[in-house]
């Protein structure tokens, strides 16, 4: 009878991949990518009022917080070593209108939060979105006119909103509304207002995705949204178009790029990093968070391992960091592991 060991030996020769995997210490030695607390950006949700922390049903473990409690969260995040927060407001329904005019109030909820956080915790970065969806009565990211999201008027408005956000202390403006020409317009507006040091992290490739569902509950836009966002977000089928879109943002002056959602678009992360070499971030969005949490709550998946595996996958795909609702949980876990 043929010796089976001999048979395998003939195939592998001296090549045995398992040698480097044989022990914990060899695995640690050859590990190519690592996740650290420096890779994390924590998105948080702000509500009006004081001293309220309320859970979001569709995002187990994630809360909406009033500004005073967000300041505490920021302090906690800074203590954990998390470099930056991304803030999203859930503003009163009465303040929402067709054009999202509250985005142009200097002391609106988002700017109030920024100022309070930067005053109390100056060393944490604050990244703010300028899309109009938290402020519009129809839930779209731009100004809606005769059934259309009008590009240029929206760009003018988000550029003005960006200056107000920078005035309030925002460190990085992150435009997520996908209007054409927005990055250049925001850069010019910031510079004209003396905010040369305020950066732009472009939501360069934002796809028309089903994974934003829980976020829309978090800021109460889900019920409002009429139609969909396909006339301005990218078709999930298109990779080359996404790279072209990012190229325009790079030309217009983006300092950093973002891919959103994250895990279904790792190929885009890799392509952007290869093409432009800019600091590149992935946004592990609400639906990505929720699917891991929900499965873990049922005992169908090891939530902690799944969390760490997805975050490491972003690093492997070339990302410099990740916006993730898991940020404080990961930071605590990493601190425990030393
Ligand atoms: C819209 C915006 C979205 C998210 C952040 N800002 C998407 C949307 O509602 O269309 C999604 C974030 C998430 O799902 O975690 N400007």
């Amino acid at each position: 009878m043929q010796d089976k060991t001999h048979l395998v030996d003939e195939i592998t020769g001296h090549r045995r991949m398992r040698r480097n995997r044989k022990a914990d210490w060899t695995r640690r030695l050859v590990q190519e990518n690592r996740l650290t607390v420096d890779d994390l950006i924590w998105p948080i949700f702000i509500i009006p009022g004081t001293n309220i922390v309320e859970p979001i049903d569709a995002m187990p473990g994630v809360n909406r917080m009033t500004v005073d409690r967000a300041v505490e969260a920021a302090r906690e995040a800074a203590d954990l070593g998390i470099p930056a927060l991304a803030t999203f407001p859930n503003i009163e329904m009465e303040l929402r209108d067709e054009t999202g005019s509250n985005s142009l109030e200097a002391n609106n909820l988002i700017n109030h939060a920024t100022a309070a956080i930067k005053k109390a915790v100056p060393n944490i970065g604050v990244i703010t979105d300028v899309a109009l969806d938290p402020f519009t009565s129809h839930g779209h990211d731009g100004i809606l006119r005769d059934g259309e999201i009008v590009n240029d008027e929206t760009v003018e408005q988000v550029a003005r909103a960006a200056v107000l956000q920078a005035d309030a202390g925002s460190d990085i403006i992150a435009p997520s509304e996908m209007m054409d020409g927005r990055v250049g317009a925001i850069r010019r507006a910031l510079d004209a207002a003396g905010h040369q040091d305020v950066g732009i992290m472009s939501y360069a490739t934002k796809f028309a995705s089903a994974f934003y569902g829980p976020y829309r509950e978090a800021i109460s836009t889900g019920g409002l949204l009429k139609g969909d966002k396909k006339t301005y977000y990218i078709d999930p089928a298109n990779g080359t178009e996404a790279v072209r879109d990012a190229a325009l943002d790079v030309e217009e002056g983006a300092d950093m790029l973002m891919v959103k959602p994250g895990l279904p678009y790792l190929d885009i992360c890799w392509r952007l990093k290869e093409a432009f070499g800019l600091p590149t971030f992935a946004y592990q969005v609400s639906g990505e968070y929720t699917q891991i949490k929900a499965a873990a709550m049922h005992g169908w998946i090891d939530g902690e391992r799944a969390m760490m595996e997805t975050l490491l996958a972003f690093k492997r795909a070339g990302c410099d960091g990740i916006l993730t609702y898991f940020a404080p949980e990961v930071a605590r876990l990493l601190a425990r592991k030393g």
Side-chain angles (χ1 to χ4, degrees):
M1 237 186 78
Q2 186 77 34
D3 177 352
K4 282 208 177 112
T5 309
H6 177 70
L7 216 148
V8 170
D9 224 32
E10 262 183 18
I11 296 164
T12 63
H14 59 284
R15 300 157 304 190
R16 285 187 179 264
M17 296 302 290
R18 293 182 54 190
R19 273 183 213 117
N20 290 344
R21 299 176 194 150
K22 71 181 174 190
D24 179 63
W25 68 265
T26 54
R27 292 191 291 270
R28 281 191 283 126
L29 265 182
V30 304
Q31 184 174 335
E32 297 175 33
N33 294 286
R34 271 191 178 77
L35 181 74
T36 78
V37 71
D38 298 328
D39 300 319
L40 305 172
I41 297 171
W42 183 24
I44 60 170
F45 297 107
I46 316 281
I47 49 175
T50 44
N51 200 23
I52 306 167
V53 173
E54 64 184 29
I56 299 161
D57 286 345
M59 301 179 73
V62 176
N63 300 310
R64 302 184 192 91
M65 298 170 271
T66 49
V67 170
D68 53 327
R69 300 297 292 262
V71 167
E72 278 175 35
R75 203 170 275 128
E76 200 186 321
D79 288 345
L80 284 165
I82 294 171
L85 303 173
T87 50
F88 296 97
N90 181 335
I91 72 164
E92 294 99 315
M93 283 297 158
E94 309 87 79
L95 295 178
R96 302 188 193 196
D97 59 23
E98 285 282 304
T99 60
S101 61
N102 186 256
S103 68
L104 297 177
E105 294 292 330
N107 197 30
N108 63 14
L109 184 57
I110 189 73
N111 293 335
H112 175 45
T114 302
I117 291 169
K118 289 304 294 188
K119 184 165 176 236
V121 197
N123 291 334
I124 200 156
V126 172
I127 302 172
T128 51
D129 189 355
V130 278
L132 302 183
D133 58 304
F135 307 100
T136 55
S137 48
H138 42 71
H140 278 290
D141 293 16
I143 298 168
L144 182 66
R145 193 148 287 141
D146 301 326
E148 248 185 62
I149 304 300
V150 288
N151 192 88
D152 299 10
E153 231 176 293
T154 301
V155 169
E156 297 278 331
Q157 184 164 329
V158 300
R160 284 166 62 203
V163 171
L164 296 173
Q165 292 184 357
D167 290 344
S170 178
D171 298 290
I172 295 181
I173 304 297
S176 83
E177 78 318 311
M178 292 300 282
M179 297 297 118
D180 288 319
R182 73 211 196 283
V183 171
I186 291 169
R187 184 70 272 155
R188 276 196 295 279
L190 289 173
D191 288 353
H195 290 301
Q196 280 81 2
D197 290 339
V198 173
I200 300 177
M201 176 189 283
S202 170
Y203 283 69
T205 64
K206 182 165 182 187
F207 291 87
S209 171
F211 288 96
Y212 308 140
Y215 164 92
R216 293 182 187 169
E217 186 208 308
I219 67 155
S220 313
T221 56
L224 301 176
L225 187 64
K226 294 185 187 64
D228 56 47
K229 302 190 176 184
K230 290 181 186 169
T231 69
Y232 44 107
Y233 291 179
I234 304 171
D235 185 337
N238 297 352
T240 302
E241 180 187 329
V243 177
R244 278 185 60 216
D245 205 320
L248 296 178
D249 292 359
V250 174
E251 253 174 59
E252 290 173 32
D255 301 288
M256 305 176 182
L257 299 175
M258 190 205 296
V259 175
K260 178 181 180 184
L263 213 58
Y265 299 93
L266 290 184
D267 57 324
I268 309 299
C269 296
W270 182 259
R271 286 174 75 170
L272 295 197
K273 189 70 191 183
E274 289 283 293
F276 309 113
L278 257 65
T280 303
F281 295 82
Y283 195 148
Q284 182 175 50
V285 300
S286 56
E288 298 177 72
Y289 170 87
T290 293
Q291 59 182 355
I292 292 174
K293 276 288 172 195
M297 281 165 70
H298 278 90
W300 293 334
I301 197 172
D302 180 333
E304 196 174 281
R305 282 187 59 201
M307 165 180 87
M308 296 308 274
E309 187 175 329
T310 56
L311 293 169
L312 194 60
F314 291 117
K315 299 287 293 180
R316 198 193 60 241
C319 290
D320 297 279
I322 308 107
L323 290 92
T324 176
Y325 301 99
F326 287 120
E329 194 177 335
V330 179
R332 265 180 237 114
L333 186 69
L334 291 171
R336 269 208 309 281
K337 289 191 170 162

